[in-house]
Every structure is written in structure tokens, then in C-alpha cells.
Amino acid sequence: RKNLGILTPLERSLWVWANVSNLDKFLTDVYAYFIGNGLQCIIISKVIDWLTLCFIIFLTLFMSNCIDFGLLLSQNNHVTNYSEVKIPQCYSKIPLKQKFFLYVVEVLLVIKIKSFILEDYKKLRDIQNFYNHLLGIKDEELQTISWSLIVQKIMILRDQNTNAMVSDNYHNVISNDLKSKKRLNAHDIANRIMRKENYVIALFNKNILNLSLPFFKSSNNELFLTKTLEWNLNLCIFDFVFQQENGQLNPKFLKESNRLKLSEELRKRFIIAGILNIILAPFLVSYFILYYFLTFFYEFRTNPNLIGNREYTPLAMWKLREFNELYHIFKKRLNLSNEAATKYINQFPKKKIDLVLKFLAFLAESLLSILVVLTILDPENFLNFEIFYHKTVLFYISSLGAVYTICKNSIQDETLVFDPEASLRYVAQFTHYLPGEWEGKLHSEEVKNEFLKFYNLKLIIILKELMSLILLPFILCISLPKSSNRIIDFFREFSVHVDGLGYVCTFAMFNFDENKNIKNTKGNGVVVHGADKLRDEYYSSNDDKMIKSYMYFLESY
């Protein structure tokens, strides 16, 4: 490695490819580079993330410590400039808790930037050379080239002789890895990149996780999932189950004799994570409220129609995703369904709400028309005329315009043809999700409400995300520990070993037998036939997800 600096970019790329010791990590980096659209885009994205964090923290400290809001919002004082409301020497008066938090963030940010410069950047350069010199793909092409074509080029490279530069010192490591390279194909690459994600998809498909809200009992055991909870699940479960050095499943999870011990350890991890979330909740709530406010307020203010926008929920991201379906392929599939999904939701009758909205739109439109006409007749005097509570005409014109736009765009289109069954079946062509229990009820409010768990208003998703920062400790300390035994059993019973690949989720291998009964006993790859119906159902994916995943995988590649 010390002599790598004297190699040309092509020679260095050959050396890196020949000496890959962790094929999972390497292929994941190759895919991340593809998703990130090349070196420059990745660096710019990283820098923007750091600047965004710094800006929000600085703005939070500034607004909370350097502005006298009592004076600024006082009706008796007419403040005319910033210097009148600025608190002198405010930064020296920052509370000790905030100073400590700021110090911790600064240290973590410095460590992150240092790690990126000293380690990540070199890896990115190696991946760039891999694309440019071995695959013959320039960074400019990454925004337009398909992943399937990149996979084809990797398989061509697999068949070429790249062993000439393998040093004797790495012979034992490389010889094992060469076996893995020889079996590289589209399925193998997807399995390596999605080794953990396939398990997550299976966890949600088999309903293993208890994500219900304690103290809020619901008849349908609704799952409460947000991005913040996802991060906690990854920390508690997958950092525990998978080995950090090679990304492989820890063998101790495959032994039934370790079940009780591992279950207890996992239960403790959930509780500790819940306690940490309680400690961090005040900071996280402040940060995310300000982040979402700065991100979306101006958009909603300038275009109130956006308040009715919908998107897929975090729960949908795992319930609708197929095994071995890479993220960009999955997002493309969901994006194709957005228009049809919105049309399905909007066509359900809401006559009572429409009547109220029409009335409110009429009131807003009438008052807005009067104010606009009066402003046109005498703009100099009337534009700054105060009506109520020291608010000028300009304020009411803006507010009434927003109310009118929201009401008008929320009223159902009278020309829309009501056919929810056909609409939902069309949506299912993209989502690949149409449970058997929905059959015969596709026109009902019940099914629509079930679908709303996957496709909800963006505003509601944001509010849930904020609410989860308070509710997370309860889910982590009360609900999830009840799933500990099932989670440990899941990784033991739904893992299979493949030579040259390691342990992967059973469903991700697309193994079909004539009895549709696949079982891995204690993770040792033994297949058991002739099990009873209940066991057969337990070891099969729900909603025929595995066969759907297999068919769509063939179509994608």
C-alpha cells in the first residue's frame, strides 16, 4: 500500500479491484457512488449538509439568546431597527446546557469532516478510478446511465484476468474473495448491497416488529414508523446482529442455545435507546421544528396548494419494497404511481367537507375582491390602512388569498369519474401491493384508510415525525422489547448460508420448491419438506412477496 502512490490511476484501479477484501463494502460503495452521481456531486452534497447543520444551530442560538422578543412584539413600542432589539454581548450569556450542546456538535462535526478528508475522500477517488478506468464510465454519464448496464460491465470485468497485481501478502484473503467474484451476477450484487435491507423488508412483511403506540390501543395494531424510529431500529437491531468488520450476520445468532441471552441483550438495547431519546428529545425537537419550518414555510406561503401534496410514508418504504430491489429502482416505481395514487384518494366523495369549503372559499373571495378593488382605487392611502389588531390591508389580502387557494384546491373535481376499484388496481401495477383481504372492498372507506397508511399528506407525515420525537421513548422502552424473542428467532429461522456469499435472508435467494415450503433449521441451510400448513405459512412470505420480487427482478435486469 505504501507504493500505491507511484501507480497510474489505471494500475491503482486494477490493484484495488484485485485486492478487494470486503466485496459487500466495495459494491455498496460502487452503488452509493452511482446514486450520488459522481465525486463532485457527493462532495457538494456533504458540504451542504454540514453547512445546513451549522446554519440551523447558529440560527437557533441567535434567535433564542440575541433577540429581545418581548420588546420586538410589544404593541406599545415601535421598533424601527435591529439594534433596538439586539441583546448586547448575547453570546457570552448563552446558558451552560446550550454551550455544552454546541461544543459536542462542534467536536462531532470536526471528527466527521476529518474522517471524510482522510478516509472517505480516498475511497471515493478509488471508486471514481474504478468507474473511469475499469468500467469505462465517466462521472458525467452517471446521471443518465442505467444500473443494469453498470452491472453488465462489472460482470465483463469479472471474467477478465485481474489477478496479475495481487501481492503474495494478501494471497489467503484474495483467494477466498476470488471465489466470491467468480459468482458475481446481478442477483449476487443486489444481495450483497441489500444484505441488511432484505432483512428489514422481511421483518415488515412477516410483521415481526411491535411498533404500536402504548396507551393508544387500536383494533388493527397500527404500526407507527418514522425516519427517526428507523434510525433507532438500525442502531438497536442491525448494529447488534451484523458484524461491523465485514457486514456479515454474526454466527452466534444462528444457535438456538443463545436465544434467551441475545433476546435479553436486545431488550436492554431498546431500553437504553429509549432513555437516550428522552435525554436528546428537547434538542431534537427544537432542531427539527426549526428545520421543517425553514424548509417548508416559504413553499406553503407562496403556494398554499402544496399543503394538499401527498407522498409515501416511511412504512410504505419497507412494506412496498421488493426483495433485492435497489433503492433507485424502488423510487422510480413509486414515482410512477404518485399521480394514480392521488387520483384514487381524491375521487372518494366528501360532500359535507366540500360544502363547507365552498362556503369558506366564497367568503374569502368576496372579502378579497372588496379589498383589492379599494386598493386599486386609492393605493397610497388604503394599502397601509389598518383594519383589525394593527394589521394592514396587505396582511389580509395575503391571508385571504391563501385561504381561498387552499379551499378551492381542496374541493373535489366534479368531472372526476368515481371508479376506485379500477384506480386502485392501476396503482397496484406500480406498488405491487393488493392484499387478498382487500378483494371485494376496493371501493370502501376501510381500504382507503388502509392505503392512507402508505400514502398520506406530506404535512401529516411531518407532524408525525415531530410527534415521534416525544413518543419514541415509549415505543423503544415498552413496545419493541416485547418483540425481542421474535426478532432473534427471525434471524435464526430466515437466514441461509450460500457459498461465496455468506448468510442472507432466505426470501432474497428466490428459492422455490414444489411444496412452496422453505425452511432453514438453525441457520445451517437444511431444507425441511412436508411441514404442516401453519408452519408452511410461517416460512413463506406474506402476500406472495417473494414470487412478485422474483418476477420484478427479472424484469428490471
Side-chain angles (χ1 to χ4, degrees), residues 471-485:
L471 298 175
L472 266 181
F474 298 102
I475 298 175
L476 289 166
C477 293
I478 299 175
S479 299
L480 275 169
K482 299 175 184 177
S483 306
S484 296
N485 289 336

Side-chain angles (χ1 to χ4, degrees), residues 65-90:
N65 295 286
C66 297
I67 300 295
D68 187 346
F69 283 98
L71 183 62
L72 179 65
L73 302 177
S74 174
Q75 299 292 339
N76 300 323
N77 297 302
H78 294 283
V79 180
T80 58
N81 58 67
Y82 161 71
S83 60
E84 294 181 31
V85 295
K86 183 181 182 297
I87 299 174
Q89 298 180 339
C90 55

Side-chain angles (χ1 to χ4, degrees), residues 414-550:
E414 295 180 356
T415 63
L416 196 64
V417 178
F418 181 72
D419 192 357
E421 183 169 346
S423 297
L424 189 54
R425 290 191 184 279
Y426 181 69
V427 173
Q429 293 180 21
F430 302 105
T431 61
H432 303 168
Y433 187 81
L434 199 67
E437 56 266 24
W438 287 7
E439 285 296 333
K441 300 186 291 184
L442 298 182
H443 63 284
S444 66
E445 286 283 336
E446 177 188 350
V447 170
K448 187 197 81 168
N449 291 333
E450 285 292 316
F451 186 73
L452 284 175
K453 295 176 184 177
F454 301 136
Y455 192 70
N456 213 331
L457 290 172
K458 190 173 185 177
L459 184 61
I460 291 179
I461 295 173
I462 292 173
L463 292 175
K464 274 191 172 183
E465 194 71 48
L466 293 173
M467 189 169 58
S468 74
L469 298 173
I470 300 172
L471 298 175
L472 266 181
F474 298 102
I475 298 175
L476 289 166
C477 293
I478 299 175
S479 299
L480 275 169
K482 299 175 184 177
S483 306
S484 296
N485 289 336
R486 294 190 68 196
I487 293 170
I488 299 301
D489 290 340
F490 166 82
F491 282 100
R492 185 181 68 255
E493 295 169 344
F494 291 94
S495 296
V496 62
H497 186 269
V498 180
D499 290 338
L501 183 60
Y503 284 99
V504 295
C505 180
T506 306
F507 300 132
M509 288 309 298
F510 300 146
N511 288 329
F512 303 95
D513 64 8
E514 41 191 46
N515 293 323
K516 297 183 181 179
N517 178 29
I518 301 174
K519 177 184 178 183
N520 176 48
T521 306
K522 299 180 182 179
N524 59 8
V526 178
V527 180
V528 179
H529 297 274
D532 58 29
K533 184 178 180 181
L534 290 177
R535 192 170 63 179
D536 198 16
E537 290 178 357
Y538 176 76
Y539 288 104
S540 300
S541 61
N542 295 338
D543 303 318
D544 297 321
K545 194 174 193 69
M546 186 163 67
I547 183 64
K548 292 176 183 176
S549 301
Y550 174 68

